[in-house]
Amino acid sequence: MSDSLVVCEVDPELKEKLRKFRFRKETDNAAIIMKVDKGRQMVVLEEEFQNISPEELRLELPERQPRFVVYSYKYVHADGRVSYPLCFIFSSPVGCKPEQQMMYAGSKNRLVQTAELTKVFEIRTTDDLTEAWLQEKLAFFR
């Protein structure tokens, strides 16, 4: 079945931006939102945010279209330690066009590998993206 999926390449400029984002020194929450450019069959940068909470990020995501997000999050562990995990969030809302879902689903793994991310999450509605949800997901990676 994976042979029939359209797998989009990652825009070279986006690859460089993701590499720099991975090694950023800032300690605030930040996000890169990416979309599929259907015409070019390429994952491209849509928008970049600094100092953005999960709730603010949720408001930036379209409710009826898929998006990829790389999110640098200031995570305070139960024992007081602070870490800054990079999270990959695939927003695949219920009700999007099937061909759009296929393009995104088929491109997700390549993008995760390109960005070298291990904390990969999926939401089916933008309402799921909350601080509590993210902390619950990250608790599994301790």
Side-chain angles (χ1 to χ4, degrees), residues 65-84:
Q65 294 181 343
R67 286 295 182 272
F68 299 122
V69 179
V70 175
Y71 190 46
S72 175
Y73 176 69
K74 182 178 181 178
Y75 180 55
V76 181
H77 298 260
D79 61 7
R81 291 177 300 117
V82 177
S83 63
Y84 301 91

Side-chain angles (χ1 to χ4, degrees), residues 58-120:
R58 175 182 69 219
L59 297 174
E60 296 297 333
L61 294 174
E63 288 184 24
R64 298 259 181 255
Q65 294 181 343
R67 286 295 182 272
F68 299 122
V69 179
V70 175
Y71 190 46
S72 175
Y73 176 69
K74 182 178 181 178
Y75 180 55
V76 181
H77 298 260
D79 61 7
R81 291 177 300 117
V82 177
S83 63
Y84 301 91
L86 277 181
C87 307
F88 182 90
I89 302 168
F90 175 32
S91 173
S92 179
V94 176
C96 336
K97 296 177 186 165
E99 67 272 10
Q100 210 176 20
Q101 282 182 321
M102 292 283 283
M103 282 186 88
Y104 276 81
S107 303
K108 180 182 122 183
N109 288 342
R110 175 166 294 162
L111 185 55
V112 167
Q113 289 169 348
T114 298
E116 299 177 38
L117 299 172
T118 56
K119 294 165 183 64
V120 179

